[in-house]
Amino acid sequence: MNRKKLQKLTDTLTKNCKHLFRGFDKDNDGCVNVLEWIHGLSLFLRGSLEEKMKYCFEVFDLNGDGFISKEEMFHMLKNSLLKQPSEEDPDEGIKDLVEITLKKMDHDHDGKLSFADYELAVREDTLLLEAFGPCLPDPKSQMEFEAQVFKDPNEFNDM
């Protein structure tokens, strides 16, 4: 399955398909194979908190180095927040938000988030699971997706 097919199928799950594709494509070959697709859907539809934390962390770790840096946080927050008309530089507000986030989540105080930092913060407050933007479906979207996909399995043979 290529990127366009995955995006078409998952539009009801989430609008963050750029990161969704990267999260599903575990071997980084530019395609989502059947096993990757099944694993991704399983996580989305029935995944445990642990599985969802690992997935979200991988999505948020934009360069794949095992950490979420200040630059990655800034990039994700800038792309997920609505721009407000004001005299203040919007980038300054986002930088402040990054600093607040680090104070809340960076338990070892090294200026970046490891998975251990992220996991501890999310276990303390599950709302932090998607702290840097949406990457999991909401329950309503999940139900709509399941209704669409499971109504006629033969529909996907033509894709």
Side-chain angles (χ1 to χ4, degrees):
M1 177 180 305
N2 65 29
R3 182 182 300 255
K4 282 187 178 182
K5 288 179 185 176
L6 179 63
Q7 285 178 327
K8 183 178 178 183
L9 256 179
T10 57
D11 277 349
T12 48
L13 281 179
T14 181
K15 298 203 184 308
N16 201 6
C17 289
K18 176 181 168 191
H19 298 305
L20 173 111
F21 186 85
R22 193 167 40 78
F24 274 40
D25 184 19
K26 295 295 183 191
D27 61 6
N28 296 315
D29 67 352
C31 289
V32 173
N33 64 40
V34 172
L35 289 176
E36 291 168 329
W37 172 246
I38 291 169
H39 176 73
L41 283 182
S42 172
L43 181 138
F44 268 19
L45 302 176
R46 304 289 183 261
S48 67
L49 178 61
E50 181 72 27
E51 291 170 319
K52 289 177 180 181
M53 282 190 293
K54 287 179 183 174
Y55 172 80
C56 290
F57 185 85
E58 288 173 6
V59 168
F60 297 148
D61 178 14
L62 299 177
N63 65 5
D65 68 353
F67 297 95
I68 303 171
S69 68
K70 286 182 177 184
E71 293 78 18
E72 289 168 322
M73 288 180 212
F74 180 86
H75 176 74
M76 290 180 287
L77 290 171
K78 184 173 184 172
N79 290 332
S80 67
L81 296 175
L82 295 173
K83 294 186 178 20
Q84 298 292 323
S86 73
E87 295 177 21
E88 187 179 319
D89 179 10
D91 287 356
E92 285 304 313
I94 295 167
K95 287 176 187 173
D96 292 344
L97 200 51
V98 167
E99 292 304 320
I100 292 167
T101 303
L102 276 172
K103 284 180 184 169
K104 174 84 174 156
M105 298 179 79
D106 184 16
H107 293 280
D108 60 9
H109 308 290
D110 63 354
K112 57 189 174 185
L113 296 182
S114 64
F115 180 73
D117 290 329
Y118 177 78
E119 180 181 27
L120 188 56
V122 171
R123 288 195 186 280
E124 289 172 359
D125 184 354
T126 55
L127 290 176
L128 294 173
L129 182 64
E130 296 181 275
F132 306 110
C135 58
L136 293 170
D138 61 74
K140 182 180 179 219
S141 298
Q142 184 177 329
M143 287 175 56
E144 289 173 6
F145 174 82
E146 288 179 11
Q148 179 184 352
V149 169
F150 298 123
K151 71 178 178 186
D152 184 4
N154 294 322
E155 202 173 305
F156 298 103
N157 293 335
D158 299 331
M159 291 185 85

